[in-house]
Amino acid sequence: MKLKFSIIISFICSLIFGQNNSFEPGKFWKDTDGVHINAHGGGVIFVDGTYYWYGEFKSEGKEGNTALKGVSCYSSKDLYNWHNEGIVLEVEEDPNSEITKGCIMERPKVVFNKKTGKYVMWFHLELKGEGYDAARAAAAISDSPKGPFTYKKSYRPNRGVWPMNFKDEFKSASTAERNLKSWSPEWVTAVKNGMLVRRDFKKGQMARDMTVYVDDNEKAYLIHSSEENLTLHISELTDDYLDFTEKWTRMAPAGHNEAPAIFKKDGIYYMITSGCTGWDPNEARSFKSKSIWGPWETLGNPCVGKGAELTFYAQSTYIFPVQGKKDQFIFMADRWKPDNPIDGAYIWLPVKITHEKPVLNWFDKWNLNVFSEN
Ligand code: DGJ
């Protein structure tokens, strides 16, 4: 009842003041210039009273999923009304640049490093014209949340380093495994036992869909789909957040997870991911663990309601805390439109934790008051 009342009030305010006062998942999300927000696969941080939303700037038409401009940024005081701050990491005209126009820059995430006072952006980089083969994690840095970000470099993480607790017997390859049929039980076992970790040991491990998580102790981790998207890797970042410490682990080996989004509540880490079906939606998964290093317990699909079996026709990208409200988190997801990527829509939903399990209920329209009703 209280929720309905607040939605009616916010509707009246939006009529009078022309401002947004609620989230309408999947609808046209206009910025303060009245233009649909262009920040896909994104993440949100909070700095000195302002939220910053970073994402992929997508364009029209089939080429629109490649990076023709770069990473965009929007700012907001209330999470409903977003001001376009422009492109904060620009693609480069130089054809020899790793971030030349037409490369692929996906899922940018920005975090603040308290030690260096810098904003660090990580994103998934694919080199122009090489499809999704490069599978690199790339870093950029800025003095301000509004950018501009300076591109640093791209990496295949954990080159020449075995994951934690990797059995000695898994460190050398058997010749037989090369000929295994994909998805045969023997092949799945070989993947679980690190066949692809061994394959990429010298070159570095693949990094496709990714997020960055900063823990309470300021340690940061890159969580990335690796091993041909079959296994997630959790890689600790150095104190400046610009490199890897060589401490890393594998999560859900052969589980085929993309789109990791993570948060922590009452000392428990929760992760929501998707399966791997390209731009098409699939059923989300969720996990929990008492340590970032696992073991991670599988909890199943967190979505409830119409469209729950397809993550409400979207794919996870980030989970962030609402400021000034204890333990209240917003789940961000993308409804991709591969034929005209600029039209991609945003699905933001409140995260509810019930018996140590994240639950995402669908709302056509909601506002932050929903948390006090939980
Ligand atoms: C699904 C990923 O989550 C997206 O970020 C993107 O890489 C597409 N696959 C490409 O098909």
Side-chain angles (χ1 to χ4, degrees):
M1 187 63 196
K2 219 162 101 194
L3 179 62
K4 273 197 187 130
F5 180 70
S6 64
I7 287 195
I8 292 166
I9 294 291
S10 70
F11 177 69
I12 294 168
C13 289
S14 66
L15 282 183
I16 299 172
F17 304 113
Q19 289 208 326
N20 303 322
N21 287 293
S22 59
F23 305 105
E24 291 191 76
K27 293 278 164 59
F28 177 88
W29 279 24
K30 60 176 177 20
D31 65 13
T32 49
D33 298 324
V35 178
H36 182 49
I37 293 175
N38 197 334
H40 309 264
V44 169
I45 58 167
F46 183 77
V47 184
D48 295 337
T50 302
Y51 291 93
Y52 293 90
W53 174 1
Y54 304 88
E56 304 161 30
F57 183 95
K58 304 252 188 202
S59 307
E60 287 182 351
K62 290 274 184 205
E63 295 304 305
N65 269 322
T66 64
L68 300 178
K69 296 250 193 256
V71 175
S72 54
C73 174
Y74 292 79
S75 63
S76 173
K77 296 274 184 208
D78 59 8
L79 290 172
Y80 306 123
N81 296 283
W82 292 92
H83 170 70
N84 186 356
E85 299 286 351
I87 302 294
V88 290
L89 175 65
E90 287 189 27
V91 294
E92 294 173 2
E93 291 298 330
D94 177 359
N96 296 316
S97 161
E98 290 180 351
I99 56 163
T100 192
K101 189 172 172 181
C103 67
I104 293 174
M105 292 162 100
E106 288 182 351
R107 298 184 176 268
K109 304 288 177 285
V110 172
V111 288
F112 178 64
N113 186 301
K114 283 192 181 155
K115 273 200 179 128
T116 61
K118 306 277 184 198
Y119 294 84
V120 178
M121 179 192 293
W122 282 92
F123 61 96
H124 165 202
L125 174 70
E126 295 294 348
L127 303 175
K128 184 175 179 182
E130 295 188 18
Y132 278 83
D133 290 345
R136 294 189 191 182
I141 191 164
S142 174
D143 291 328
S144 158
K146 293 185 186 182
F149 281 79
T150 306
Y151 180 66
K152 293 296 266 188
K153 68 172 186 173
S154 63
Y155 312 68
R156 273 283 187 102
N158 302 314
R159 188 147 50 102
V161 188
W162 296 113
M164 294 159 65
N165 306 320
F166 198 64
K167 291 188 185 157
D168 280 343
E169 68 203 74
F170 293 160
K171 291 181 183 166
S172 42
S174 87
T175 38
E177 71 189 20
R178 284 195 217 121
N179 302 320
L180 293 173
K181 192 170 174 293
S182 296
W183 295 107
S184 64
E186 298 76 18
W187 180 89
V188 172
T189 302
V191 170
K192 284 188 183 162
N193 292 346
M195 175 171 75
L196 298 170
V197 174
R198 290 191 285 280
R199 185 196 71 183
D200 291 342
F201 183 70
K202 286 197 183 128
K203 189 175 179 185
Q205 302 297 324
M206 301 176 91
R208 290 195 181 132
D209 279 12
M210 64 178 59
T211 193
V212 185
Y213 177 67
V214 180
D215 212 336
D216 306 331
N217 60 3
E218 303 305 322
K219 285 260 175 228
Y221 306 86
L222 186 79
I223 301 169
H224 47 111
S225 291
S226 196
E227 304 178 37
E228 306 291 349
N229 298 346
L230 286 158
T231 300
L232 285 167
H233 289 183
I234 302 176
S235 303
E236 189 179 75
L237 296 175
T238 49
D239 283 354
D240 60 5
Y241 299 170
L242 288 170
D243 214 327
F244 299 93
T245 62
E246 304 196 339
K247 197 171 169 191
W248 68 284
T249 195
R250 302 168 73 218
M251 180 194 163
H256 226 191
N257 286 285
E258 279 191 326
I262 182 172
F263 68 104
K264 187 179 177 182
K265 180 179 178 292
D266 298 334
I268 298 180
Y269 299 83
Y270 295 93
M271 203 185 294
I272 295 180
T273 67
S274 73
C276 301
T277 49
W279 299 113
D280 294 334
N282 55 53
E283 186 173 89
R285 297 103 181 258
S286 61
F287 304 84
K288 74 168 178 179
S289 174
K290 289 198 173 121
S291 160
I292 190 89
W293 302 118
W296 289 86
E297 187 187 327
T298 304
L299 301 172
N301 183 0
C303 302
V304 179
K306 195 171 165 282
E309 71 292 350
L310 289 176
T311 320
F312 312 116
Y313 316 100
Q315 190 182 26
S316 43
T317 181
Y318 202 66
I319 296 169
F320 67 92
V322 179
Q323 294 302 310
K325 311 229 175 194
K326 192 172 179 297
D327 292 335
Q328 299 183 344
F329 298 90
I330 293 180
F331 168 80
M332 297 169 67
D334 294 277
R335 209 173 258 180
W336 305 115
K337 295 279 160 55
D339 292 334
N340 201 33
I342 195 169
D343 288 340
Y346 310 102
I347 305 298
W348 288 19
L349 293 169
V351 181
K352 197 170 167 181
I353 304 286
T354 310
H355 307 301
E356 293 189 0
K357 187 182 180 320
V359 178
L360 302 170
N361 284 297
W362 176 259
F363 287 89
D364 288 332
K365 190 171 185 164
W366 64 283
N367 63 30
L368 297 174
N369 292 329
V370 79
F371 289 109
S372 32
E373 320 235 324
N374 272 341

